[in-house]
């Protein structure tokens, strides 16, 4: 194989590949229908011209036939008038027009066949165009569906299912963690509030309890007369023992306030 032939084959192969990749089915089909419509227009023009030629031949044939009849009538007229020479001349003219008419008849018959053939071909072309239009719409719909399917498959091919589901799982775990943190913060806030009120309530109860214990201890240490005086002092005016207790109570309160 020669170098030139090899290079030529490579160029043709590359050009064919380039053309194949550049071919858009929808555009090619529309262009084909347009070309067929142009062919149909040219075919109609050809048929119209053939019919016009047929009509001209028909008129010429009819005129030749009329001339044949006219010169035959004139030949008869010359013979009736005993003018044989004129009759002979008329018959010569008749023969000339008869030959012309015969030639025109042959041309007319041939032109008629041509017109019929052109009409038949035009009818077939019209049928092909109608069929092509119907098929074009179907093929374009299939081409569009194939392109859409190809695009979807390409998108699906680019998606890694394991990676996608792993991302969803990570996000689900993160959301669960956030929800747990939110619940924990709410629970801690509620516990802190309860603890604060419980501490206040417990603190007041402990002070009152300690106060009662101190009073009971002081009364137990005093003699009976002073105990009675203390009890009376509690009911009436304050006594010296009561003053001491109150002073100690105030001192305890100040210590508690300082805590």
């Amino acid at each position: 194989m020669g170098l030139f032939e090899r290079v030529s084959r490579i160029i043709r192969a590359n050009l064919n590949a380039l053309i194949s990749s550049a071919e858009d089915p929808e555009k090619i089909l529309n262009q084909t229908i347009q070309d067929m419509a142009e062919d149909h227009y040219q075919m109609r023009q050809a048929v119209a011209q053939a019919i016009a030629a047929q009509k001209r031949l028909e008129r010429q044939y009819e005129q030749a036939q009329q001339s044949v009849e006219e010169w035959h009538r004139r030949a008869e007229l010359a013979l009736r008038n005993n003018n044989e020479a004129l009759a002979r001349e008329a018959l010569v003219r008749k023969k000339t027009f008869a030959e012309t008419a015969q030639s025109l008849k042959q041309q007319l018959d041939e032109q008629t066949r041509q017109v019929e053939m052109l009409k038949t071909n035009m009818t077939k072309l019209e049928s092909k165009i109608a069929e092509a239009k119907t098929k074009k719409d179907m093929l374009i719909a299939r081409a569009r569906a194939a392109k859409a399917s190809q695009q979807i498959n390409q998108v699906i091919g680019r998606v890694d299912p394991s990676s996608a589901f792993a991302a969803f799982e990570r996000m689900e775990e993160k959301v669960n963690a956030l929800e747990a943190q939110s619940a924990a913060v709410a629970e801690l806030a509620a516990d802190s509030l309860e603890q604060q009120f419980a501490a206040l309530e417990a603190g007041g109860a402990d002070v009152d309890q300690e106060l009662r214990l101190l009073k009971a201890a002081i009364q137990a240490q005093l003699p009976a007369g002073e105990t009675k005086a203390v009890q009376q002092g509690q009911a009436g005016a304050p006594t010296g023992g009561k003053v001491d207790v109150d002073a100690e109570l105030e001192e305890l309160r100040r210590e508690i306030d300082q805590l």
Side-chain angles (χ1 to χ4, degrees), residues 81-205:
N81 291 281
N82 298 319
N83 192 342
E84 186 175 342
L86 186 60
R88 184 182 296 274
E89 185 66 25
L91 290 175
V92 171
R93 295 289 185 90
K94 173 187 175 183
K95 182 180 180 182
T96 301
F97 280 106
E99 292 175 352
T100 301
Q102 185 179 2
S103 177
L104 289 173
K105 183 65 170 63
Q106 293 175 355
Q107 295 179 29
L108 179 59
D109 292 342
E110 180 64 24
Q111 188 64 25
T112 302
R113 285 193 295 270
Q114 291 292 331
V115 169
E116 292 300 324
M117 183 181 66
L118 288 173
K119 286 182 177 179
T120 302
N121 291 335
M122 188 176 68
T123 302
K124 290 180 179 179
L125 180 59
E126 290 173 349
S127 178
K128 288 290 184 181
I129 291 175
E131 181 182 355
K133 287 181 178 179
T134 302
K135 195 171 184 180
K136 181 204 73 171
D137 295 337
M138 180 184 64
L139 290 175
I140 287 176
R142 289 174 58 187
R144 291 177 179 176
K147 285 183 179 179
S149 178
Q150 182 180 7
Q151 292 175 354
I152 292 172
N153 291 331
Q154 289 175 350
V155 172
I156 294 175
R158 289 194 300 266
V159 175
D160 185 0
S162 60
S163 175
F165 282 111
F168 274 99
E169 291 176 357
R170 288 197 305 272
M171 292 303 102
E172 185 177 3
E173 292 176 358
K174 192 168 185 177
V175 170
N176 291 335
L178 291 174
E179 291 176 347
Q181 291 177 2
S182 177
V185 170
E187 184 176 353
L188 289 174
D191 291 345
S192 176
L193 187 63
E194 293 293 335
Q195 290 175 359
Q196 291 178 11
F197 278 104
L200 290 177
E201 293 173 356

